[in-house]
Amino acid sequence: MAAGDTVAVLGVDLGVRWESTGSALLSFRPGGGWVDAVPGAIPWPSERECTAAAVAGEIDGFARSQGITAISLDGPQGWRAPGVQGRQGVGRWCE
């Protein structure tokens, strides 16, 4: 990485609808601190159904077009894996 280069990181707060899904594009210089933060970076397509596949496609396309280095995802507790309802205290398979 050349001096002055920035690293782009995408943060996504997943929602169950497009309008409740957020994003932010963060730029920083390694060892040099934050350069910029752009809230609402991804223009979500409100004309399509908000499915897991559609959200993943939008995130992937945006990340590739912007040269994103890393993506951080935060998902709602309401997104449950099928079949976990019978497992006491578990809402998602990762738990």
Side-chain angles (χ1 to χ4, degrees):
M1 181 175 293
D5 283 351
T6 60
V7 174
V9 176
L10 179 64
V12 179
D13 186 9
L14 298 170
V16 294
R17 296 177 312 279
W18 292 117
E19 60 270 13
S20 63
T21 300
S23 65
L25 180 59
L26 308 173
S27 301
F28 64 95
R29 286 188 187 88
W34 294 106
V35 174
D36 195 16
V38 179
I42 300 177
W44 304 113
S46 59
E47 70 281 353
R48 292 183 18 205
E49 183 180 1
C50 183
T51 65
V55 172
E58 292 298 321
I59 293 170
D60 182 59
F62 182 83
R64 289 175 189 271
S65 73
Q66 298 297 312
I68 302 297
T69 301
I71 300 171
S72 174
L73 297 173
D74 181 29
Q77 291 293 326
W79 279 19
R80 307 225 185 282
V84 297
Q85 289 81 3
R87 296 171 52 210
Q88 185 176 358
V90 177
R92 300 179 294 183
W93 281 112
C94 64
E95 298 167 334

Coordinates of all heavy atoms in Angstrom, one line a residue:
M1 N 0.8 -1.2 0.0 CA 0.0 0.0 0.0 C 0.9 1.2 0.0 O 1.8 1.4 0.8 CB -0.9 0.0 1.2 CG -1.8 1.1 1.3 SD -3.0 0.9 2.7 CE -3.9 -0.5 2.2
A2 N 0.6 2.1 -0.9 CA 1.4 3.4 -1.0 C 1.1 4.4 0.0 O -0.1 4.3 0.6 CB 1.2 4.0 -2.4
A3 N 2.0 5.2 0.4 CA 1.7 6.3 1.3 C 0.5 7.1 0.9 O 0.4 7.5 -0.3 CB 2.9 7.2 1.5
G4 N -0.4 7.4 1.8 CA -1.6 8.2 1.4 C -2.8 7.4 1.0 O -3.8 7.9 0.8
D5 N -2.6 6.1 0.7 CA -3.7 5.3 0.3 C -4.6 5.1 1.5 O -4.3 5.1 2.6 CB -3.2 3.9 -0.1 CG -2.6 3.9 -1.5 OD1 -2.7 4.9 -2.2 OD2 -2.0 2.8 -1.9
T6 N -5.9 5.0 1.1 CA -6.9 4.8 2.2 C -7.5 3.4 2.0 O -7.5 2.8 1.0 CB -8.1 5.8 2.1 OG1 -8.7 5.7 0.8 CG2 -7.6 7.2 2.3
V7 N -8.1 2.9 3.1 CA -8.7 1.6 3.1 C -10.2 1.9 3.3 O -10.6 2.7 4.1 CB -8.2 0.7 4.3 CG1 -9.0 -0.5 4.5 CG2 -6.7 0.4 4.2
A8 N -11.1 1.2 2.5 CA -12.5 1.4 2.6 C -13.2 0.2 3.3 O -12.9 -0.9 2.9 CB -13.1 1.6 1.2
V9 N -14.0 0.5 4.3 CA -14.7 -0.5 5.0 C -16.2 -0.2 5.0 O -16.6 1.0 5.2 CB -14.2 -0.6 6.5 CG1 -15.0 -1.6 7.3 CG2 -12.7 -0.9 6.5
L10 N -17.0 -1.2 4.8 CA -18.4 -1.0 4.7 C -19.1 -1.6 6.0 O -18.8 -2.8 6.3 CB -19.0 -1.7 3.5 CG -20.5 -1.7 3.3 CD1 -21.0 -0.3 3.0 CD2 -20.9 -2.6 2.1
G11 N -19.9 -0.8 6.6 CA -20.7 -1.3 7.7 C -22.2 -1.4 7.3 O -22.7 -0.5 6.6
V12 N -22.8 -2.5 7.6 CA -24.2 -2.7 7.2 C -25.0 -3.2 8.4 O -24.6 -4.2 9.1 CB -24.4 -3.8 6.1 CG1 -25.8 -4.0 5.7 CG2 -23.6 -3.4 4.9
D13 N -26.1 -2.5 8.7 CA -27.0 -2.9 9.8 C -28.3 -3.5 9.1 O -29.1 -2.7 8.5 CB -27.4 -1.7 10.6 CG -28.2 -2.1 11.8 OD1 -28.4 -3.3 12.1 OD2 -28.7 -1.1 12.5
L14 N -28.4 -4.8 9.1 CA -29.4 -5.5 8.3 C -30.8 -5.2 9.0 O -30.9 -5.2 10.2 CB -29.2 -7.0 8.3 CG -27.9 -7.3 7.5 CD1 -27.6 -8.8 7.8 CD2 -28.0 -7.0 6.1
G15 N -31.8 -5.1 8.1 CA -33.2 -4.9 8.6 C -34.0 -5.9 7.8 O -33.6 -6.6 6.9
V16 N -35.3 -6.0 8.2 CA -36.2 -6.9 7.5 C -36.9 -6.2 6.3 O -37.6 -6.9 5.5 CB -37.2 -7.5 8.4 CG1 -36.6 -8.4 9.4 CG2 -38.0 -6.5 9.1
R17 N -36.7 -4.9 6.2 CA -37.2 -4.1 5.1 C -36.1 -3.2 4.6 O -35.1 -2.9 5.3 CB -38.4 -3.2 5.5 CG -39.6 -4.0 6.0 CD -40.7 -3.1 6.5 NE -40.3 -2.1 7.4 CZ -40.1 -2.3 8.7 NH1 -40.2 -3.5 9.2 NH2 -39.7 -1.3 9.5
W18 N -36.1 -2.8 3.3 CA -35.1 -1.9 2.8 C -35.0 -0.7 3.6 O -33.8 -0.2 3.9 CB -35.4 -1.5 1.3 CG -35.3 -2.7 0.3 CD1 -36.3 -3.2 -0.4 CD2 -34.2 -3.4 0.0 NE1 -35.9 -4.2 -1.2 CE2 -34.5 -4.4 -1.0 CE3 -32.8 -3.4 0.4 CZ2 -33.6 -5.3 -1.6 CZ3 -31.9 -4.3 -0.2 CH2 -32.3 -5.2 -1.1
E19 N -36.1 -0.1 4.0 CA -36.0 1.2 4.7 C -35.5 1.1 6.1 O -35.1 2.1 6.8 CB -37.4 1.9 4.7 CG -38.5 1.1 5.4 CD -39.3 0.2 4.4 OE1 -38.8 0.0 3.3 OE2 -40.3 -0.3 4.9
S20 N -35.4 -0.1 6.7 CA -34.8 -0.3 8.0 C -33.4 -0.9 7.9 O -32.8 -1.3 8.9 CB -35.7 -1.2 8.8 OG -35.8 -2.5 8.3
T21 N -32.8 -1.0 6.7 CA -31.4 -1.5 6.5 C -30.5 -0.3 6.3 O -30.8 0.6 5.5 CB -31.4 -2.4 5.3 OG1 -32.2 -3.5 5.5 CG2 -30.0 -2.9 5.1
G22 N -29.5 -0.2 7.1 CA -28.6 0.9 7.0 C -27.2 0.5 6.5 O -26.8 -0.7 6.5
S23 N -26.4 1.5 6.1 CA -25.1 1.3 5.6 C -24.2 2.5 5.8 O -24.7 3.6 5.9 CB -25.0 0.9 4.1 OG -25.5 2.0 3.3
A24 N -22.9 2.3 6.0 CA -22.0 3.4 6.1 C -20.7 3.0 5.5 O -20.2 1.8 5.7 CB -21.8 3.8 7.5
L25 N -20.1 3.9 4.7 CA -18.8 3.6 4.1 C -17.8 4.4 4.9 O -17.8 5.6 5.0 CB -18.8 4.1 2.6 CG -17.5 3.9 1.8 CD1 -17.1 2.4 1.8 CD2 -17.7 4.4 0.4
L26 N -16.8 3.7 5.4 CA -15.8 4.3 6.3 C -14.4 4.2 5.6 O -14.1 3.2 5.0 CB -15.7 3.6 7.6 CG -17.0 3.5 8.4 CD1 -16.8 2.6 9.6 CD2 -17.6 4.8 8.7
S27 N -13.7 5.3 5.6 CA -12.3 5.3 5.0 C -11.3 5.7 6.0 O -11.6 6.6 6.8 CB -12.3 6.3 3.8 OG -13.2 6.0 2.8
F28 N -10.2 5.1 6.0 CA -9.1 5.4 6.9 C -7.8 5.1 6.3 O -7.7 4.3 5.4 CB -9.3 4.8 8.3 CG -9.2 3.3 8.2 CD1 -8.0 2.6 8.5 CD2 -10.3 2.5 7.9 CE1 -7.9 1.2 8.5 CE2 -10.2 1.1 7.9 CZ -9.0 0.5 8.2
R29 N -6.7 5.7 6.9 CA -5.4 5.4 6.5 C -4.8 4.5 7.6 O -4.8 4.9 8.8 CB -4.5 6.7 6.4 CG -4.8 7.5 5.2 CD -3.9 8.7 5.1 NE -4.3 9.5 4.0 CZ -5.1 10.6 4.1 NH1 -5.6 10.9 5.3 NH2 -5.5 11.3 3.1
P30 N -4.3 3.4 7.2 CA -3.7 2.5 8.2 C -2.6 3.2 9.0 O -1.7 3.8 8.4 CB -3.1 1.3 7.3 CG -4.0 1.3 6.1 CD -4.3 2.8 5.9
G31 N -2.8 3.2 10.3 CA -1.8 3.9 11.1 C -2.0 5.4 11.2 O -1.3 6.1 11.9
G32 N -3.0 5.9 10.5 CA -3.2 7.4 10.4 C -4.5 7.9 10.8 O -4.8 9.1 10.8
G33 N -5.5 7.0 11.1 CA -6.8 7.4 11.5 C -7.8 7.5 10.4 O -7.6 7.3 9.3
W34 N -9.0 7.9 10.9 CA -10.2 8.0 10.0 C -10.0 9.2 9.0 O -9.5 10.3 9.4 CB -11.5 8.2 10.8 CG -11.8 7.0 11.6 CD1 -11.7 6.9 13.0 CD2 -12.3 5.8 11.2 NE1 -12.1 5.7 13.4 CE2 -12.5 4.9 12.3 CE3 -12.6 5.3 9.9 CZ2 -12.9 3.6 12.2 CZ3 -13.1 4.0 9.8 CH2 -13.2 3.2 10.9
V35 N -10.5 9.0 7.8 CA -10.5 10.0 6.8 C -11.9 10.5 6.5 O -12.1 11.7 6.4 CB -9.9 9.4 5.5 CG1 -10.0 10.5 4.3 CG2 -8.4 9.0 5.7
D36 N -12.9 9.6 6.4 CA -14.2 10.0 6.0 C -15.2 8.9 6.5 O -14.9 7.7 6.6 CB -14.3 10.1 4.5 CG -15.5 10.9 4.0 OD1 -16.2 11.5 4.8 OD2 -15.8 10.8 2.8
A37 N -16.5 9.3 6.6 CA -17.6 8.4 6.9 C -18.8 8.9 6.1 O -19.1 10.1 6.2 CB -17.9 8.4 8.4
V38 N -19.4 8.0 5.3 CA -20.5 8.3 4.5 C -21.7 7.5 4.9 O -21.8 6.3 4.6 CB -20.2 8.1 3.0 CG1 -21.4 8.4 2.1 CG2 -19.0 8.9 2.6
P39 N -22.6 8.0 5.7 CA -23.8 7.3 6.1 C -24.7 7.1 4.9 O -24.7 7.9 3.9 CB -24.5 8.1 7.1 CG -24.0 9.5 6.9 CD -22.6 9.4 6.2
G40 N -25.5 6.0 4.9 CA -26.4 5.7 3.8 C -25.7 5.5 2.5 O -26.2 5.9 1.4
A41 N -24.6 4.8 2.5 CA -23.8 4.6 1.3 C -24.4 3.8 0.2 O -24.2 4.1 -1.0 CB -22.4 4.0 1.7
I42 N -25.1 2.8 0.6 CA -25.8 1.9 -0.4 C -27.2 2.4 -0.7 O -28.0 2.5 0.2 CB -25.8 0.4 0.0 CG1 -24.4 -0.1 0.3 CG2 -26.5 -0.4 -1.0 CD1 -24.4 -1.5 0.8
P43 N -27.5 2.7 -2.0 CA -28.9 3.1 -2.4 C -29.7 1.8 -2.5 O -29.6 1.1 -3.5 CB -28.7 3.8 -3.7 CG -27.4 3.3 -4.3 CD -26.6 2.8 -3.1
W44 N -30.5 1.5 -1.5 CA -31.2 0.2 -1.5 C -32.4 0.3 -2.5 O -33.0 1.3 -2.7 CB -31.8 -0.1 -0.1 CG -30.8 -0.2 0.9 CD1 -30.6 0.7 2.0 CD2 -29.8 -1.2 1.1 NE1 -29.6 0.3 2.7 CE2 -29.0 -0.8 2.2 CE3 -29.4 -2.3 0.3 CZ2 -27.9 -1.6 2.7 CZ3 -28.3 -3.0 0.8 CH2 -27.6 -2.7 1.9
P45 N -32.7 -0.8 -3.3 CA -33.7 -0.8 -4.3 C -35.1 -1.0 -3.8 O -35.5 -2.2 -3.7 CB -33.2 -1.9 -5.2 CG -32.6 -2.9 -4.3 CD -31.9 -2.0 -3.2
S46 N -35.8 0.0 -3.4 CA -37.1 -0.2 -2.8 C -38.2 -0.9 -3.7 O -39.2 -1.3 -3.2 CB -37.7 1.2 -2.3 OG -37.8 2.0 -3.4
E47 N -37.9 -0.9 -5.0 CA -38.9 -1.6 -5.9 C -38.8 -3.1 -5.9 O -39.7 -3.7 -6.5 CB -38.7 -1.0 -7.3 CG -37.4 -1.5 -8.0 CD -36.2 -0.8 -7.6 OE1 -36.2 0.2 -6.9 OE2 -35.1 -1.2 -8.1
R48 N -37.8 -3.7 -5.2 CA -37.7 -5.2 -5.1 C -38.0 -5.6 -3.7 O -37.9 -4.9 -2.8 CB -36.3 -5.6 -5.4 CG -35.9 -5.4 -6.8 CD -34.5 -5.9 -7.2 NE -33.9 -6.8 -6.3 CZ -32.6 -7.0 -6.2 NH1 -31.7 -6.3 -6.9 NH2 -32.1 -7.9 -5.4
E49 N -38.4 -6.9 -3.6 CA -38.6 -7.5 -2.3 C -37.3 -7.5 -1.5 O -36.3 -7.9 -2.1 CB -39.2 -8.8 -2.4 CG -39.6 -9.5 -1.1 CD -40.2 -10.9 -1.2 OE1 -40.4 -11.4 -2.3 OE2 -40.5 -11.5 -0.2
C50 N -37.3 -7.3 -0.2 CA -36.1 -7.3 0.6 C -35.9 -8.7 1.1 O -36.4 -9.1 2.2 CB -36.2 -6.3 1.8 SG -34.8 -6.2 2.8
T51 N -35.2 -9.5 0.3 CA -34.9 -10.9 0.7 C -33.4 -11.0 1.1 O -32.6 -10.1 0.7 CB -35.2 -11.9 -0.4 OG1 -34.3 -11.6 -1.5 CG2 -36.6 -11.8 -0.8
A52 N -33.0 -12.1 1.7 CA -31.6 -12.3 2.1 C -30.7 -12.3 0.8 O -29.7 -11.6 0.8 CB -31.4 -13.6 2.8
A53 N -31.2 -12.9 -0.3 CA -30.5 -13.0 -1.5 C -30.3 -11.6 -2.2 O -29.3 -11.2 -2.7 CB -31.1 -13.9 -2.5
A54 N -31.4 -10.8 -2.1 CA -31.4 -9.5 -2.7 C -30.4 -8.6 -1.9 O -29.7 -7.8 -2.5 CB -32.8 -8.9 -2.7
V55 N -30.5 -8.6 -0.6 CA -29.6 -7.8 0.2 C -28.1 -8.2 0.0 O -27.3 -7.3 -0.2 CB -30.0 -7.9 1.7 CG1 -28.9 -7.2 2.6 CG2 -31.3 -7.3 2.0
A56 N -27.9 -9.5 0.0 CA -26.5 -10.0 -0.3 C -26.0 -9.5 -1.6 O -24.9 -9.1 -1.8 CB -26.5 -11.5 -0.2
G57 N -26.9 -9.5 -2.7 CA -26.5 -9.1 -4.0 C -26.2 -7.6 -4.0 O -25.2 -7.2 -4.7
E58 N -26.9 -6.8 -3.3 CA -26.7 -5.3 -3.3 C -25.4 -5.0 -2.5 O -24.6 -4.2 -3.0 CB -27.9 -4.6 -2.6 CG -29.1 -4.6 -3.4 CD -29.0 -4.0 -4.7 OE1 -28.4 -2.9 -4.8 OE2 -29.6 -4.5 -5.7
I59 N -25.2 -5.7 -1.4 CA -23.9 -5.5 -0.7 C -22.7 -5.9 -1.5 O -21.7 -5.2 -1.6 CB -23.9 -6.3 0.7 CG1 -25.0 -5.7 1.6 CG2 -22.6 -6.3 1.3 CD1 -25.3 -6.5 2.8
D60 N -22.8 -7.1 -2.1 CA -21.7 -7.6 -3.0 C -21.4 -6.7 -4.1 O -20.2 -6.3 -4.4 CB -22.0 -9.0 -3.5 CG -20.9 -9.6 -4.3 OD1 -19.8 -9.8 -3.8 OD2 -21.1 -9.9 -5.5
G61 N -22.4 -6.2 -4.8 CA -22.2 -5.4 -6.0 C -21.6 -4.0 -5.6 O -20.7 -3.5 -6.2
F62 N -22.1 -3.5 -4.5 CA -21.5 -2.2 -4.0 C -20.1 -2.4 -3.5 O -19.2 -1.6 -3.9 CB -22.4 -1.7 -2.8 CG -21.9 -0.3 -2.3 CD1 -22.3 0.8 -2.9 CD2 -21.1 -0.3 -1.2 CE1 -21.9 2.1 -2.5 CE2 -20.6 1.0 -0.7 CZ -21.0 2.1 -1.4
A63 N -19.8 -3.4 -2.8 CA -18.5 -3.7 -2.3 C -17.5 -3.8 -3.4 O -16.4 -3.3 -3.4 CB -18.5 -4.9 -1.4
R64 N -17.9 -4.6 -4.4 CA -17.0 -4.8 -5.6 C -16.7 -3.5 -6.4 O -15.6 -3.2 -6.8 CB -17.5 -5.9 -6.5 CG -17.4 -7.3 -5.9 CD -18.1 -8.3 -6.8 NE -18.2 -9.6 -6.1 CZ -17.3 -10.5 -6.2 NH1 -16.2 -10.3 -6.9 NH2 -17.5 -11.7 -5.6
S65 N -17.8 -2.7 -6.5 CA -17.7 -1.5 -7.3 C -16.8 -0.4 -6.6 O -16.2 0.5 -7.2 CB -19.0 -0.9 -7.7 OG -19.7 -0.4 -6.6
Q66 N -16.8 -0.5 -5.3 CA -16.1 0.5 -4.5 C -14.8 0.1 -3.9 O -14.1 0.8 -3.2 CB -17.0 1.0 -3.3 CG -18.3 1.6 -3.7 CD -18.1 2.9 -4.4 OE1 -17.4 3.7 -4.0 NE2 -18.8 3.0 -5.5
G67 N -14.4 -1.1 -4.2 CA -13.1 -1.6 -3.8 C -13.0 -1.8 -2.2 O -12.0 -1.5 -1.6
I68 N -14.1 -2.3 -1.7 CA -14.2 -2.4 -0.2 C -13.2 -3.5 0.3 O -13.1 -4.5 -0.3 CB -15.6 -2.8 0.2 CG1 -16.7 -1.8 -0.3 CG2 -15.8 -3.0 1.7 CD1 -16.5 -0.4 0.2
T69 N -12.5 -3.1 1.4 CA -11.5 -4.1 1.9 C -12.2 -5.0 2.9 O -11.8 -6.2 3.0 CB -10.5 -3.2 2.7 OG1 -9.8 -2.4 1.8 CG2 -9.4 -4.1 3.3
A70 N -13.2 -4.6 3.7 CA -13.8 -5.4 4.7 C -15.3 -5.0 4.8 O -15.6 -3.8 4.6 CB -13.1 -5.3 6.0
I71 N -16.1 -5.9 5.3 CA -17.5 -5.7 5.5 C -17.9 -6.1 6.9 O -17.6 -7.3 7.3 CB -18.4 -6.4 4.4 CG1 -18.1 -5.9 3.0 CG2 -19.9 -6.1 4.8 CD1 -18.8 -6.7 1.9
S72 N -18.6 -5.3 7.6 CA -19.1 -5.6 9.0 C -20.6 -5.7 8.9 O -21.2 -4.7 8.5 CB -18.6 -4.6 10.0 OG -19.2 -4.9 11.2
L73 N -21.2 -6.8 9.3 CA -22.6 -7.0 9.3 C -23.2 -7.1 10.7 O -22.6 -7.7 11.5 CB -23.0 -8.2 8.5 CG -22.7 -8.3 7.1 CD1 -23.0 -9.7 6.5 CD2 -23.4 -7.3 6.3
D74 N -24.3 -6.4 10.9 CA -25.1 -6.5 12.2 C -26.5 -6.9 11.8 O -27.1 -6.2 11.0 CB -25.0 -5.2 12.9 CG -25.8 -5.3 14.3 OD1 -25.8 -6.4 14.8 OD2 -26.3 -4.3 14.7
G75 N -27.0 -8.0 12.2 CA -28.3 -8.5 11.8 C -29.3 -8.4 13.0 O -28.9 -8.5 14.1
P76 N -30.6 -8.3 12.6 CA -31.6 -8.3 13.7 C -31.8 -9.6 14.3 O -31.7 -10.7 13.7 CB -32.8 -7.8 12.9 CG -32.6 -8.3 11.5 CD -31.1 -8.2 11.3
Q77 N -32.1 -9.6 15.6 CA -32.4 -10.8 16.4 C -33.6 -11.5 15.8 O -33.8 -12.7 16.0 CB -32.6 -10.5 17.8 CG -31.3 -10.1 18.5 CD -30.3 -11.2 18.6 OE1 -30.6 -12.3 18.8 NE2 -29.1 -10.8 18.5
G78 N -34.5 -10.8 15.1 CA -35.7 -11.4 14.5 C -35.4 -12.3 13.4 O -36.3 -13.1 13.0
W79 N -34.2 -12.3 12.8 CA -33.9 -13.2 11.7 C -33.5 -14.6 12.3 O -32.4 -14.8 12.8 CB -32.8 -12.7 10.8 CG -33.2 -11.7 9.8 CD1 -34.4 -10.9 9.9 CD2 -32.5 -11.2 8.7 NE1 -34.4 -10.1 8.8 CE2 -33.3 -10.3 8.0 CE3 -31.3 -11.6 8.1 CZ2 -32.9 -9.6 6.9 CZ3 -30.9 -11.0 7.0 CH2 -31.7 -10.0 6.3
R80 N -34.4 -15.5 12.3 CA -34.2 -16.8 12.9 C -34.0 -17.9 11.8 O -34.6 -17.9 10.8 CB -35.3 -17.2 13.8 CG -35.7 -16.1 14.8 CD -35.9 -16.6 16.1 NE -36.4 -15.7 17.1 CZ -35.6 -14.8 17.7 NH1 -34.3 -14.7 17.4 NH2 -36.1 -14.0 18.7
A81 N -33.1 -18.8 12.1 CA -32.9 -19.9 11.2 C -34.1 -20.9 11.4 O -34.6 -21.1 12.5 CB -31.6 -20.7 11.6
P82 N -34.5 -21.5 10.3 CA -35.6 -22.5 10.4 C -35.3 -23.6 11.4 O -34.2 -24.1 11.3 CB -35.8 -23.0 9.0 CG -35.1 -22.0 8.1 CD -34.1 -21.3 8.9
G83 N -36.2 -23.9 12.2 CA -36.0 -25.1 13.1 C -35.3 -24.8 14.5 O -35.2 -25.6 15.3
V84 N -34.9 -23.5 14.7 CA -34.3 -23.2 16.0 C -35.3 -22.9 17.1 O -34.9 -22.8 18.3 CB -33.3 -22.1 15.9 CG1 -32.1 -22.4 15.0 CG2 -33.9 -20.8 15.5
Q85 N -36.6 -22.8 16.7 CA -37.6 -22.4 17.7 C -37.6 -23.5 18.9 O -37.9 -23.2 20.0 CB -39.0 -22.3 17.1 CG -39.1 -21.1 16.2 CD -38.5 -21.3 14.8 OE1 -38.1 -22.3 14.5 NE2 -38.5 -20.2 14.0
G86 N -37.3 -24.7 18.6 CA -37.4 -25.8 19.6 C -36.1 -25.8 20.5 O -36.1 -26.6 21.4
R87 N -35.1 -25.1 20.2 CA -33.9 -25.1 21.0 C -33.9 -24.0 22.0 O -33.9 -22.8 21.7 CB -32.7 -24.9 20.0 CG -32.5 -26.1 19.1 CD -31.5 -25.9 18.0 NE -30.2 -25.5 18.6 CZ -29.3 -24.7 17.9 NH1 -29.6 -24.3 16.7 NH2 -28.2 -24.4 18.5
Q88 N -34.1 -24.3 23.2 CA -34.2 -23.3 24.3 C -33.1 -22.3 24.4 O -31.9 -22.6 24.4 CB -34.3 -24.0 25.7 CG -34.6 -23.1 26.8 CD -34.8 -23.8 28.1 OE1 -34.8 -25.0 28.2 NE2 -35.1 -23.1 29.2
G89 N -33.5 -21.0 24.4 CA -32.5 -19.9 24.5 C -31.8 -19.6 23.3 O -30.8 -18.8 23.3
V90 N -32.2 -20.1 22.2 CA -31.4 -19.9 20.9 C -32.3 -19.2 19.9 O -33.4 -19.7 19.6 CB -30.9 -21.2 20.3 CG1 -30.2 -21.0 19.0 CG2 -29.9 -21.9 21.3
G91 N -31.8 -18.1 19.3 CA -32.6 -17.5 18.3 C -32.0 -17.6 16.9 O -32.7 -17.6 15.9
R92 N -30.7 -17.8 16.9 CA -30.0 -18.0 15.6 C -29.0 -19.2 15.7 O -28.5 -19.4 16.8 CB -29.3 -16.7 15.2 CG -30.2 -15.5 15.0 CD -29.4 -14.3 14.6 NE -28.5 -13.9 15.7 CZ -27.8 -12.8 15.7 NH1 -27.8 -12.0 14.6 NH2 -27.0 -12.4 16.7
W93 N -28.7 -19.8 14.6 CA -27.8 -20.9 14.7 C -26.4 -20.5 15.3 O -25.7 -21.3 15.9 CB -27.6 -21.6 13.3 CG -28.7 -22.5 13.0 CD1 -29.7 -22.3 12.0 CD2 -29.1 -23.7 13.6 NE1 -30.6 -23.3 12.0 CE2 -30.2 -24.2 13.0 CE3 -28.5 -24.4 14.7 CZ2 -30.9 -25.4 13.4 CZ3 -29.1 -25.6 15.0 CH2 -30.3 -26.1 14.4
C94 N -26.0 -19.3 15.1 CA -24.7 -18.9 15.6 C -24.7 -18.8 17.1 O -23.6 -18.8 17.7 CB -24.3 -17.5 15.0 SG -25.4 -16.2 15.4
E95 N -25.8 -18.8 17.7 CA -25.9 -18.8 19.2 C -25.8 -20.1 19.7 O -25.8 -20.4 20.9 CB -27.2 -18.0 19.6 CG -27.2 -16.6 19.1 CD -28.6 -16.0 19.3 OE1 -29.6 -16.7 19.2 OE2 -28.6 -14.7 19.3

